[in-house]
Amino acid sequence: MIKAVYPGSFDPVTNGHLDIINRASKILDYVTVAILENPRKQPMFTVNERLEMLKRITCEFDNVGVEYYHGLLVDYVSARQTSIIIKGLRAISDFEFEFQMALINRKLNPKIETLFMMTNDRCSFLSSSIIKEVAGLGGDISGMVPPQVYDMIMAKMV
Ligand code: PNS
């Protein structure tokens, strides 16, 4: 059974994240979408809110689970009894940082491999940060996030 962890802050989940979850679930036996802390980011949504949005959008997949972990990604991946991290790559601009993260994670635990999936071209311009910025300024973000997430973002805007 090939299991993998798809980690991120998911603050909020975008259609780009959902596309990676969908495609990963088709090539792997089981995918755990894991919310981890990114010390460089101040989240808009609480961990429970992000768990809720991920559970809502993944309920249709029978081989996808959702969890939160506070700590090092490599420790979580080992605890999940897998050795595969799935990451999405949008553009060259993502590469440098993702490369650094993949190498530090490998240094911390050489048994762990990071596999990158190229974004769907329809989602390549999407990021959680840009969605929060557009929504905060009253722009239309429908079509950029799943409908359940759209409602949760709009609820924050009132
Ligand atoms: O969606 P993001 O913010 O790009 O996800 C980054 C995340 C949460 C995967 C990364 O910050 C992370 O792995 N955090 C857990 C702490 C850790 O293991 N840090 C060392 C590797 S960077």
Side-chain angles (χ1 to χ4, degrees):
M1 177 154 176
I2 305 178
K3 299 187 286 184
V5 169
Y6 175 41
S9 341
F10 302 109
D11 183 58
V13 186
T14 69
N15 280 348
H17 294 131
L18 182 57
D19 174 64
I20 297 287
I21 294 167
N22 182 29
R23 285 160 51 212
S25 75
K26 290 188 175 134
I27 56 171
L28 295 159
D29 295 312
Y30 196 83
V31 179
T32 304
V33 184
I35 299 170
L36 282 102
E37 312 281 351
N38 183 339
R40 294 162 217 86
K41 293 181 182 169
Q42 192 60 44
M44 170 186 274
F45 291 92
T46 66
V47 169
N48 281 340
E49 286 170 332
R50 284 178 276 159
L51 281 169
E52 180 61 30
M53 67 174 70
L54 278 168
K55 281 179 184 162
R56 284 189 199 177
I57 66 158
T58 58
C59 62
E60 67 191 78
F61 302 99
D62 55 14
N63 64 338
V64 175
V66 178
E67 289 185 356
Y68 163 73
Y69 184 75
H70 178 80
L72 277 177
L73 174 58
V74 289
D75 292 342
Y76 174 71
V77 171
S78 302
R80 274 249 104 283
Q81 297 186 312
T82 178
S83 57
I84 304 172
I85 297 170
I86 296 287
K87 284 293 195 93
L89 259 192
R90 287 167 301 192
I92 305 276
S93 53
D94 279 347
F95 181 78
E96 197 172 352
F97 187 59
E98 293 295 345
F99 184 61
Q100 183 186 23
M101 283 206 282
L103 293 192
I104 188 83
N105 285 332
R106 188 192 289 156
K107 184 80 180 164
L108 291 168
N109 185 337
K111 292 184 185 146
I112 291 177
E113 286 291 348
T114 306
L115 303 184
F116 290 97
M117 295 182 71
M118 290 301 157
T119 185
N120 186 311
D121 58 340
R122 282 178 282 114
C123 303
S124 60
F125 61 97
L126 292 179
S127 72
S128 298
S129 316
I130 205 92
I131 281 166
K132 283 184 281 193
E133 184 176 330
V134 172
L137 295 169
D140 180 10
I141 56 157
S142 60
M144 302 182 198
V145 294
Q148 305 93 323
V149 176
Y150 178 87
D151 292 342
M152 291 176 81
I153 297 173
M154 287 303 119
K156 285 267 177 201
M157 296 297 147
V158 290

